[in-house]
Amino acid sequence: MENRQSASAYDASEIQVLEGLEAVRKRPGMYIGSTSSSGLHHLVYEIVDNCVDEALAGFCTDILVQINDGDTITVTDNGRGIPVDIQAQTGLPALQVVYTVLHAGGKFGGGGYKVSGGLHGVGASVVNALSEWLTVQVRRDGKVYQMKFARGEVVQPMTVVGRADTTGTTVTFKPDPLIFDDTVYDYDILRTRMREEAFLTAGLHIRTVDARPGQEQQHDMQYNGGIREFVTWLNKNREPLHPEVIYMTAQRESSVAEIAMQYNDGYNETIFSFANNVHTPEGGMHEEGFKRALTSVLNAYGHKMKLLKDDEKVSGEDCREGLTCVISVKLEEAQFEGQTKAKLGNAEIRTLVNAMVSEKLETFLEENPQTARAIVDKAMTASRAREAAKKARESIRRKTGLESGQMPDKLQDCNERDPSLCEIYIVEGDSAAGSAIQGRDSRFQAILSMWGKMLNVEKARADKIYGNDKLYPMIVALGAGIGNEFNIDKLR
Ligand code: 0RA
């Protein structure tokens, strides 16, 4: 009779579990974004994020991510091992709950931010639901516990299969070909994401291995300098404007912010931002707080040191020319917004980052006058160049009649006026142009001939580009402008 009670509790929770995982299999996109290659790789990130949480909690130092023959994935960590004790509410081993109950991570342990609570952040049960099979082994209390699943259902209950003298968790899974369009992993995609994870958690050692026959390779990643080293790495092919990577960190209530930055002698702005280790390419509150504070700190310092006249100002864009920066924030209940859910919405983070940068960057500039001077000079040069570019654009417009619609000599235009039906062939040299003109259908095919050495626009500012005799005809022929003013709707 005693067993009846637990048997029925078991049945009830089992039914809930199956309904939950069934929902994942019916609408996988809701849980992992898509069933294309990005979703396939996402499965790995879900598993690894749990290991990173274990590392952030201070119990795990090493993570191994391996692609096996047949494109199965193995992830191993040396953490405490997922708990295996029987949970009171469900009567099931905690390990089983983690792998079969949606969002088990949240209920479990409670409190604190977890990287696994980020974008999608749906946990191991979703990976299990979307795997043809999954095997997990836990090394804990001197034993190896094993459990096996198929498409989310238990096929081998938790069993002790051996002895262990270490602790940790090892998961191997095969993404379900019934769910995923393509089940072949791209090693470089995994490696890039794992490198990011390693930069974001200073000291954590992550090894990636491709064990597929014929493509064997492996990489070890461990960065004791964390995001400082991330910035150094991003700037590796550029010339730094100052020797040191500027680093700051601050904490407020349960949120933490970290920024590392260094200018280089180029013109590009490179900002990588993360919230709970999730990349936020659309930016959001952490980036806004940073940008605002950076602009006001540089202007204030420039005025104070009389580098800028009272009525002179450098714009936000000027302050970010040649800047390489990594922003990482960790917070409870991150809100991801925007088209691709890749923008951080929590307004309190803007306040935290703004206050941190206002205070700490100002101090840094005070203490490092040489670097401060180089940065403010750079922003002032950017400001002047932007002014010059504007003038160049206006004068070229007037001179060449960009507005008048006069086309360059080197363009053999077509008759069609609907740009969606037109083609343009850019050919090198007059003789190539000759044969192209002969062979074209002038109703919808235009020919533009170019010659000589092309300008590297990565290394040039807008005034140089507009003034370039090779590029200018192309800009006019296309009619859509360049850089900030590029507008595809104006394409002719
Ligand atoms: C002890 C307690 C808890 C989790 C873990 C260990 C643990 C989970 C994973 C997932 C992958 N590797 C792991 N290693 C250890 C539960 C406490 C909590 O949820 O915060």
Side-chain angles (χ1 to χ4, degrees):
M1 290 308 263
E2 231 180 81
N3 284 341
R4 277 271 278 290
Q5 178 74 32
S6 66
S8 67
Y10 179 88
D11 291 347
S13 59
E14 193 74 336
I15 288 164
Q16 270 189 351
V17 162
L18 291 179
E19 282 173 351
L21 295 193
E22 194 48 41
V24 177
R25 290 183 60 83
K26 269 204 188 114
R27 291 216 165 89
M30 296 252 301
Y31 298 86
I32 54 161
S34 86
T35 53
S36 63
S37 167
S38 120
L40 182 76
H41 291 81
H42 195 85
L43 299 181
V44 183
Y45 312 155
E46 284 295 338
I47 297 291
V48 171
D49 280 352
N50 293 319
C51 310
V52 173
D53 280 337
E54 185 68 357
L56 290 172
F59 299 105
C60 163
T61 59
D62 291 80
I63 300 173
L64 167 73
V65 179
Q66 176 162 314
I67 311 174
N68 308 304
D69 192 11
D71 286 273
T72 67
I73 296 285
T74 298
V75 178
T76 298
D77 70 59
N78 68 345
R80 288 168 290 177
I82 300 177
V84 292
D85 49 305
I86 305 294
Q87 274 201 322
Q89 310 134 276
T90 57
L92 300 171
L95 176 64
Q96 180 168 346
V97 174
V98 167
Y99 275 90
T100 55
V101 178
L102 278 179
H103 299 107
K107 285 189 210 159
F108 229 58
Y113 43 78
K114 300 188 143 229
V115 299
S116 51
L119 178 67
H120 304 307
V122 285
S125 60
V126 166
V127 178
N128 192 19
L130 301 177
S131 293
E132 186 183 311
W133 53 261
L134 180 147
T135 301
V136 54
Q137 287 195 340
V138 171
R139 298 175 298 285
R140 208 181 154 102
D141 314 323
K143 298 188 185 108
V144 180
Y145 299 83
Q146 181 175 274
M147 230 187 140
K148 292 188 174 186
F149 306 85
R151 302 196 160 105
E153 294 189 43
V154 178
V155 297
Q156 184 200 79
M158 192 173 79
T159 316
V160 174
V161 295
R163 279 218 268 237
D165 48 20
T166 59
T167 63
T169 305
T170 299
V171 191
T172 300
F173 63 91
K174 179 178 195 297
D176 192 346
L178 298 179
I179 301 281
F180 294 96
D181 312 330
D182 178 6
T183 51
V184 178
Y185 274 100
D186 182 328
Y187 178 75
D188 290 329
I189 292 178
L190 290 184
R191 180 187 166 204
T192 301
R193 172 67 189 143
M194 292 309 122
R195 182 168 49 214
E196 241 170 56
E197 293 271 21
F199 277 128
L200 290 168
T201 306
L204 175 62
H205 172 216
I206 304 183
R207 171 176 294 172
T208 53
V209 177
D210 193 342
R212 290 172 295 190
Q215 40 198 103
E216 290 92 346
Q217 57 182 318
Q218 70 172 55
H219 294 91
D220 287 280
M221 295 160 291
Q222 182 176 30
Y223 307 103
N224 293 327
I227 63 169
R228 297 176 198 79
E229 277 191 68
F230 201 164
V231 167
T232 304
W233 183 81
L234 289 167
N235 266 345
K236 69 181 181 301
N237 294 325
R238 299 172 184 158
E239 205 49 57
L241 194 71
H242 49 95
E244 64 281 78
V245 173
I246 305 169
Y247 176 81
M248 45 206 145
T249 182
Q251 187 155 6
R252 182 171 152 158
E253 280 156 29
S254 55
S255 305
V256 199
E258 254 191 304
I259 292 183
M261 58 187 269
Q262 185 181 38
Y263 287 85
N264 61 62
D265 69 353
Y267 307 116
N268 292 329
E269 167 183 335
T270 308
I271 299 183
F272 274 91
S273 66
F274 299 84
N276 292 352
N277 285 17
V278 176
H279 186 27
T280 42
E282 288 181 51
M285 295 299 172
H286 46 351
E287 278 194 28
E288 272 185 35
F290 168 72
K291 289 179 181 175
R292 233 188 258 189
L294 177 70
T295 310
S296 69
V297 169
L298 293 190
N299 274 292
Y301 184 83
H303 285 132
K304 185 174 163 199
M305 301 309 284
K306 307 258 180 265
L307 301 168
L308 285 169
K309 294 197 196 94
D310 286 346
D311 59 347
E312 241 182 331
K313 256 193 346 212
V314 284
S315 73
E317 251 181 278
D318 298 333
C319 293
R320 299 191 300 273
E321 203 179 89
L323 173 66
T324 299
C325 175
V326 173
I327 305 174
S328 171
V329 298
K330 299 214 172 82
L331 66 161
E332 282 176 32
E333 315 219 16
Q335 301 292 324
F336 292 97
E337 301 173 345
Q339 290 230 311
T340 56
K341 296 261 172 256
K343 184 173 177 182
L344 184 67
N346 305 61
E348 74 274 15
I349 291 296
R350 185 177 51 203
T351 315
L352 168 62
V353 174
N354 195 315
M356 170 178 88
V357 177
S358 299
E359 185 195 322
K360 307 220 161 151
L361 185 60
E362 189 190 307
T363 310
F364 175 87
L365 297 178
E366 301 286 349
E367 290 171 358
N368 299 271
Q370 252 186 322
T371 295
R373 177 76 197 241
I375 294 172
V376 175
D377 275 349
K378 171 130 187 142
M380 289 168 63
T381 310
S383 175
R384 275 183 226 115
R386 223 175 289 283
E387 232 5 81
K390 202 167 137 203
K391 291 213 178 93
R393 205 153 53 226
E394 279 160 7
S395 97
I396 289 165
R397 239 186 221 144
R398 260 180 272 118
K399 266 207 304 253
T400 60
L402 199 132
E403 256 101 50
S404 76
Q406 191 186 320
M407 283 301 122
D409 301 342
K410 295 285 174 187
L411 177 73
Q412 292 292 321
D413 216 348
C414 57
N415 303 322
E416 178 57 55
R417 282 292 156 257
D418 177 354
S420 69
L421 303 173
C422 294
E423 297 173 2
I424 185 165
Y425 291 81
I426 299 168
V427 299
E428 191 179 353
D430 287 340
S431 77
S435 8
I437 291 163
Q438 289 247 303
R440 73 168 177 157
D441 184 333
S442 64
R443 282 173 300 176
F444 67 99
Q445 294 176 322
I447 310 292
L448 179 66
S449 61
M450 313 264 268
W451 69 101
K453 195 172 177 320
M454 187 49 74
L455 179 74
N456 180 356
V457 295
E458 259 244 309
K459 296 192 174 152
R461 286 206 184 89
D463 56 333
K464 286 265 162 34
I465 298 172
Y466 274 112
N468 184 272
D469 57 350
K470 318 266 191 312
L471 281 170
Y472 187 71
M474 201 191 314
I475 299 167
V476 175
L478 295 173
I482 59 163
N484 291 338
E485 298 182 337
F486 179 77
N487 180 357
I488 191 78
D489 294 332
K490 290 202 174 154
L491 193 66
R492 56 173 296 285

PDB file of all heavy atoms in Angstrom, residues 47 50-51 54 77 79-83 98-99 104-105 108-111 114 140 168-169 171, ligand 1:
ATOM      1  N   ILE A  47      23.547  23.054 -23.092  1.00  0.00           N
ATOM      2  CA  ILE A  47      24.225  22.128 -22.180  1.00  0.00           C
ATOM      3  C   ILE A  47      25.439  22.814 -21.546  1.00  0.00           C
ATOM      4  O   ILE A  47      25.643  22.746 -20.333  1.00  0.00           O
ATOM      5  CB  ILE A  47      24.664  20.850 -22.937  1.00  0.00           C
ATOM      6  CG1 ILE A  47      23.441  20.094 -23.484  1.00  0.00           C
ATOM      7  CG2 ILE A  47      25.519  19.952 -22.046  1.00  0.00           C
ATOM      8  CD1 ILE A  47      22.566  19.466 -22.427  1.00  0.00           C
ATOM      9  N   ASN A  50      24.867  25.305 -18.641  1.00  0.00           N
ATOM     10  CA  ASN A  50      24.715  24.720 -17.298  1.00  0.00           C
ATOM     11  C   ASN A  50      26.070  24.465 -16.648  1.00  0.00           C
ATOM     12  O   ASN A  50      26.236  24.640 -15.443  1.00  0.00           O
ATOM     13  CB  ASN A  50      23.927  23.411 -17.380  1.00  0.00           C
ATOM     14  CG  ASN A  50      22.488  23.650 -17.789  1.00  0.00           C
ATOM     15  OD1 ASN A  50      21.854  24.600 -17.338  1.00  0.00           O
ATOM     16  ND2 ASN A  50      21.971  22.805 -18.667  1.00  0.00           N
ATOM     17  N   CYS A  51      27.023  24.053 -17.451  1.00  0.00           N
ATOM     18  CA  CYS A  51      28.378  23.820 -16.917  1.00  0.00           C
ATOM     19  C   CYS A  51      29.017  25.153 -16.517  1.00  0.00           C
ATOM     20  O   CYS A  51      29.733  25.227 -15.511  1.00  0.00           O
ATOM     21  CB  CYS A  51      29.269  23.136 -17.955  1.00  0.00           C
ATOM     22  SG  CYS A  51      28.548  21.688 -18.727  1.00  0.00           S
ATOM     23  N   GLU A  54      27.897  26.188 -13.251  1.00  0.00           N
ATOM     24  CA  GLU A  54      28.611  25.423 -12.218  1.00  0.00           C
ATOM     25  C   GLU A  54      30.007  26.038 -11.992  1.00  0.00           C
ATOM     26  O   GLU A  54      30.497  26.095 -10.868  1.00  0.00           O
ATOM     27  CB  GLU A  54      28.685  23.939 -12.637  1.00  0.00           C
ATOM     28  CG  GLU A  54      29.288  23.001 -11.617  1.00  0.00           C
ATOM     29  CD  GLU A  54      28.454  22.786 -10.350  1.00  0.00           C
ATOM     30  OE1 GLU A  54      27.394  23.417 -10.204  1.00  0.00           O
ATOM     31  OE2 GLU A  54      28.903  22.005  -9.495  1.00  0.00           O
ATOM     32  N   ASP A  77      31.995  18.059 -17.783  1.00  0.00           N
ATOM     33  CA  ASP A  77      32.544  19.065 -16.863  1.00  0.00           C
ATOM     34  C   ASP A  77      33.048  18.377 -15.607  1.00  0.00           C
ATOM     35  O   ASP A  77      32.720  17.221 -15.349  1.00  0.00           O
ATOM     36  CB  ASP A  77      31.500  20.145 -16.537  1.00  0.00           C
ATOM     37  CG  ASP A  77      30.357  19.637 -15.679  1.00  0.00           C
ATOM     38  OD1 ASP A  77      30.612  19.157 -14.554  1.00  0.00           O
ATOM     39  OD2 ASP A  77      29.186  19.735 -16.122  1.00  0.00           O
ATOM     40  N   GLY A  79      32.465  19.569 -12.508  1.00  0.00           N
ATOM     41  CA  GLY A  79      31.732  20.183 -11.395  1.00  0.00           C
ATOM     42  C   GLY A  79      31.346  19.155 -10.339  1.00  0.00           C
ATOM     43  O   GLY A  79      31.933  18.076 -10.264  1.00  0.00           O
ATOM     44  N   ARG A  80      30.326  19.522  -9.552  1.00  0.00           N
ATOM     45  CA  ARG A  80      29.919  18.624  -8.459  1.00  0.00           C
ATOM     46  C   ARG A  80      29.155  17.401  -8.959  1.00  0.00           C
ATOM     47  O   ARG A  80      28.924  16.461  -8.215  1.00  0.00           O
ATOM     48  CB  ARG A  80      29.011  19.390  -7.484  1.00  0.00           C
ATOM     49  CG  ARG A  80      29.732  20.413  -6.650  1.00  0.00           C
ATOM     50  CD  ARG A  80      28.741  21.324  -5.944  1.00  0.00           C
ATOM     51  NE  ARG A  80      28.052  22.202  -6.877  1.00  0.00           N
ATOM     52  CZ  ARG A  80      27.093  23.058  -6.521  1.00  0.00           C
ATOM     53  NH1 ARG A  80      26.687  23.127  -5.273  1.00  0.00           N
ATOM     54  NH2 ARG A  80      26.530  23.842  -7.430  1.00  0.00           N
ATOM     55  N   GLY A  81      28.709  17.473 -10.221  1.00  0.00           N
ATOM     56  CA  GLY A  81      27.825  16.419 -10.727  1.00  0.00           C
ATOM     57  C   GLY A  81      26.394  16.819 -10.424  1.00  0.00           C
ATOM     58  O   GLY A  81      26.095  17.295  -9.320  1.00  0.00           O
ATOM     59  N   ILE A  82      25.498  16.660 -11.393  1.00  0.00           N
ATOM     60  CA  ILE A  82      24.087  16.994 -11.157  1.00  0.00           C
ATOM     61  C   ILE A  82      23.576  16.120 -10.011  1.00  0.00           C
ATOM     62  O   ILE A  82      23.863  14.922  -9.980  1.00  0.00           O
ATOM     63  CB  ILE A  82      23.257  16.761 -12.442  1.00  0.00           C
ATOM     64  CG1 ILE A  82      23.791  17.650 -13.575  1.00  0.00           C
ATOM     65  CG2 ILE A  82      21.770  17.039 -12.188  1.00  0.00           C
ATOM     66  CD1 ILE A  82      23.110  17.455 -14.907  1.00  0.00           C
ATOM     67  N   PRO A  83      22.836  16.703  -9.050  1.00  0.00           N
ATOM     68  CA  PRO A  83      22.356  15.913  -7.906  1.00  0.00           C
ATOM     69  C   PRO A  83      21.519  14.703  -8.347  1.00  0.00           C
ATOM     70  O   PRO A  83      20.801  14.769  -9.336  1.00  0.00           O
ATOM     71  CB  PRO A  83      21.505  16.915  -7.128  1.00  0.00           C
ATOM     72  CG  PRO A  83      22.067  18.251  -7.502  1.00  0.00           C
ATOM     73  CD  PRO A  83      22.513  18.128  -8.923  1.00  0.00           C
ATOM     74  N   VAL A  98      15.903  17.294 -14.004  1.00  0.00           N
ATOM     75  CA  VAL A  98      16.661  18.245 -14.816  1.00  0.00           C
ATOM     76  C   VAL A  98      16.491  17.937 -16.310  1.00  0.00           C
ATOM     77  O   VAL A  98      16.340  18.836 -17.135  1.00  0.00           O
ATOM     78  CB  VAL A  98      18.162  18.218 -14.433  1.00  0.00           C
ATOM     79  CG1 VAL A  98      19.019  18.942 -15.459  1.00  0.00           C
ATOM     80  CG2 VAL A  98      18.363  18.831 -13.055  1.00  0.00           C
ATOM     81  N   TYR A  99      16.491  16.648 -16.641  1.00  0.00           N
ATOM     82  CA  TYR A  99      16.432  16.261 -18.054  1.00  0.00           C
ATOM     83  C   TYR A  99      15.030  16.090 -18.621  1.00  0.00           C
ATOM     84  O   TYR A  99      14.871  15.901 -19.820  1.00  0.00           O
ATOM     85  CB  TYR A  99      17.274  14.998 -18.290  1.00  0.00           C
ATOM     86  CG  TYR A  99      18.705  15.396 -18.503  1.00  0.00           C
ATOM     87  CD1 TYR A  99      19.595  15.499 -17.449  1.00  0.00           C
ATOM     88  CD2 TYR A  99      19.133  15.790 -19.773  1.00  0.00           C
ATOM     89  CE1 TYR A  99      20.881  15.952 -17.641  1.00  0.00           C
ATOM     90  CE2 TYR A  99      20.415  16.234 -19.970  1.00  0.00           C
ATOM     91  CZ  TYR A  99      21.281  16.314 -18.903  1.00  0.00           C
ATOM     92  OH  TYR A  99      22.542  16.782 -19.110  1.00  0.00           O
ATOM     93  N   ALA A 104      13.476  23.316 -15.434  1.00  0.00           N
ATOM     94  CA  ALA A 104      13.799  22.774 -14.119  1.00  0.00           C
ATOM     95  C   ALA A 104      14.856  23.628 -13.440  1.00  0.00           C
ATOM     96  O   ALA A 104      14.851  23.775 -12.233  1.00  0.00           O
ATOM     97  CB  ALA A 104      14.290  21.343 -14.235  1.00  0.00           C
ATOM     98  N   GLY A 105      15.724  24.219 -14.238  1.00  0.00           N
ATOM     99  CA  GLY A 105      16.805  25.042 -13.696  1.00  0.00           C
ATOM    100  C   GLY A 105      16.294  26.118 -12.761  1.00  0.00           C
ATOM    101  O   GLY A 105      16.863  26.346 -11.698  1.00  0.00           O
ATOM    102  N   PHE A 108      15.020  25.004  -9.280  1.00  0.00           N
ATOM    103  CA  PHE A 108      16.076  24.312  -8.594  1.00  0.00           C
ATOM    104  C   PHE A 108      17.024  25.288  -7.924  1.00  0.00           C
ATOM    105  O   PHE A 108      17.554  26.157  -8.581  1.00  0.00           O
ATOM    106  CB  PHE A 108      16.852  23.590  -9.695  1.00  0.00           C
ATOM    107  CG  PHE A 108      17.100  22.178  -9.409  1.00  0.00           C
ATOM    108  CD1 PHE A 108      16.046  21.332  -9.184  1.00  0.00           C
ATOM    109  CD2 PHE A 108      18.390  21.680  -9.398  1.00  0.00           C
ATOM    110  CE1 PHE A 108      16.273  20.001  -8.939  1.00  0.00           C
ATOM    111  CE2 PHE A 108      18.613  20.356  -9.164  1.00  0.00           C
ATOM    112  CZ  PHE A 108      17.553  19.514  -8.935  1.00  0.00           C
ATOM    113  N   GLY A 109      17.239  25.162  -6.650  1.00  0.00           N
ATOM    114  CA  GLY A 109      18.313  25.963  -6.082  1.00  0.00           C
ATOM    115  C   GLY A 109      18.002  27.448  -5.915  1.00  0.00           C
ATOM    116  O   GLY A 109      18.449  28.047  -4.979  1.00  0.00           O
ATOM    117  N   GLY A 110      17.252  28.027  -6.811  1.00  0.00           N
ATOM    118  CA  GLY A 110      16.745  29.403  -6.719  1.00  0.00           C
ATOM    119  C   GLY A 110      17.787  30.473  -6.489  1.00  0.00           C
ATOM    120  O   GLY A 110      18.883  30.218  -5.996  1.00  0.00           O
ATOM    121  N   GLY A 111      17.425  31.697  -6.861  1.00  0.00           N
ATOM    122  CA  GLY A 111      18.270  32.850  -6.561  1.00  0.00           C
ATOM    123  C   GLY A 111      19.480  32.957  -7.470  1.00  0.00           C
ATOM    124  O   GLY A 111      19.936  31.974  -8.044  1.00  0.00           O
ATOM    125  N   LYS A 114      21.883  33.206 -13.659  1.00  0.00           N
ATOM    126  CA  LYS A 114      22.520  32.040 -14.237  1.00  0.00           C
ATOM    127  C   LYS A 114      22.662  32.340 -15.696  1.00  0.00           C
ATOM    128  O   LYS A 114      21.752  32.892 -16.298  1.00  0.00           O
ATOM    129  CB  LYS A 114      21.627  30.820 -14.075  1.00  0.00           C
ATOM    130  CG  LYS A 114      21.330  30.508 -12.638  1.00  0.00           C
ATOM    131  CD  LYS A 114      20.622  29.192 -12.557  1.00  0.00           C
ATOM    132  CE  LYS A 114      21.091  28.445 -11.335  1.00  0.00           C
ATOM    133  NZ  LYS A 114      21.468  27.097 -11.595  1.00  0.00           N
ATOM    134  N   ARG A 140      29.685  11.237  -8.804  1.00  0.00           N
ATOM    135  CA  ARG A 140      29.334  11.884  -7.535  1.00  0.00           C
ATOM    136  C   ARG A 140      29.359  10.846  -6.429  1.00  0.00           C
ATOM    137  O   ARG A 140      29.004   9.698  -6.689  1.00  0.00           O
ATOM    138  CB  ARG A 140      27.917  12.456  -7.698  1.00  0.00           C
ATOM    139  CG  ARG A 140      27.611  13.674  -6.857  1.00  0.00           C
ATOM    140  CD  ARG A 140      26.183  14.133  -7.098  1.00  0.00           C
ATOM    141  NE  ARG A 140      25.732  14.827  -5.917  1.00  0.00           N
ATOM    142  CZ  ARG A 140      25.656  16.145  -5.798  1.00  0.00           C
ATOM    143  NH1 ARG A 140      25.917  16.917  -6.823  1.00  0.00           N
ATOM    144  NH2 ARG A 140      25.291  16.712  -4.673  1.00  0.00           N
ATOM    145  N   GLY A 168      31.675  15.142 -11.496  1.00  0.00           N
ATOM    146  CA  GLY A 168      31.379  15.849 -12.741  1.00  0.00           C
ATOM    147  C   GLY A 168      30.209  15.233 -13.472  1.00  0.00           C
ATOM    148  O   GLY A 168      29.585  14.287 -12.978  1.00  0.00           O
ATOM    149  N   THR A 169      29.923  15.837 -14.635  1.00  0.00           N
ATOM    150  CA  THR A 169      28.782  15.395 -15.434  1.00  0.00           C
ATOM    151  C   THR A 169      29.232  15.218 -16.875  1.00  0.00           C
ATOM    152  O   THR A 169      29.984  16.058 -17.386  1.00  0.00           O
ATOM    153  CB  THR A 169      27.652  16.458 -15.374  1.00  0.00           C
ATOM    154  OG1 THR A 169      27.330  16.723 -14.011  1.00  0.00           O
ATOM    155  CG2 THR A 169      26.403  15.993 -16.112  1.00  0.00           C
ATOM    156  N   VAL A 171      27.513  14.398 -20.713  1.00  0.00           N
ATOM    157  CA  VAL A 171      26.292  14.192 -21.500  1.00  0.00           C
ATOM    158  C   VAL A 171      26.681  13.909 -22.932  1.00  0.00           C
ATOM    159  O   VAL A 171      27.543  14.599 -23.487  1.00  0.00           O
ATOM    160  CB  VAL A 171      25.417  15.475 -21.527  1.00  0.00           C
ATOM    161  CG1 VAL A 171      24.046  15.166 -22.116  1.00  0.00           C
ATOM    162  CG2 VAL A 171      25.284  16.073 -20.164  1.00  0.00           C
TER     163      VAL A 171
HETATM  164  C1  0RA B   1      24.901  20.754  -7.474  1.00  0.00           C
HETATM  165  C2  0RA B   1      23.688  21.342  -7.280  1.00  0.00           C
HETATM  166  C3  0RA B   1      22.980  21.745  -8.369  1.00  0.00           C
HETATM  167  C4  0RA B   1      23.477  21.584  -9.644  1.00  0.00           C
HETATM  168  C5  0RA B   1      24.683  21.005  -9.850  1.00  0.00           C
HETATM  169  C6  0RA B   1      25.388  20.576  -8.761  1.00  0.00           C
HETATM  170  C7  0RA B   1      25.242  20.842 -11.211  1.00  0.00           C
HETATM  171  C8  0RA B   1      24.479  21.025 -12.375  1.00  0.00           C
HETATM  172  C9  0RA B   1      25.104  20.823 -13.608  1.00  0.00           C
HETATM  173  C10 0RA B   1      24.694  20.907 -14.944  1.00  0.00           C
HETATM  174  C11 0RA B   1      25.797  20.577 -15.733  1.00  0.00           C
HETATM  175  N1  0RA B   1      26.825  20.310 -14.956  1.00  0.00           N
HETATM  176  C12 0RA B   1      26.447  20.456 -13.664  1.00  0.00           C
HETATM  177  N2  0RA B   1      27.153  20.281 -12.542  1.00  0.00           N
HETATM  178  C13 0RA B   1      26.563  20.485 -11.355  1.00  0.00           C
HETATM  179  C14 0RA B   1      21.661  22.356  -8.181  1.00  0.00           C
HETATM  180  C15 0RA B   1      21.788  23.742  -7.630  1.00  0.00           C
HETATM  181  C16 0RA B   1      21.344  24.773  -8.603  1.00  0.00           C
HETATM  182  O1  0RA B   1      20.480  24.504  -9.433  1.00  0.00           O
HETATM  183  O2  0RA B   1      21.832  25.896  -8.509  1.00  0.00           O
END
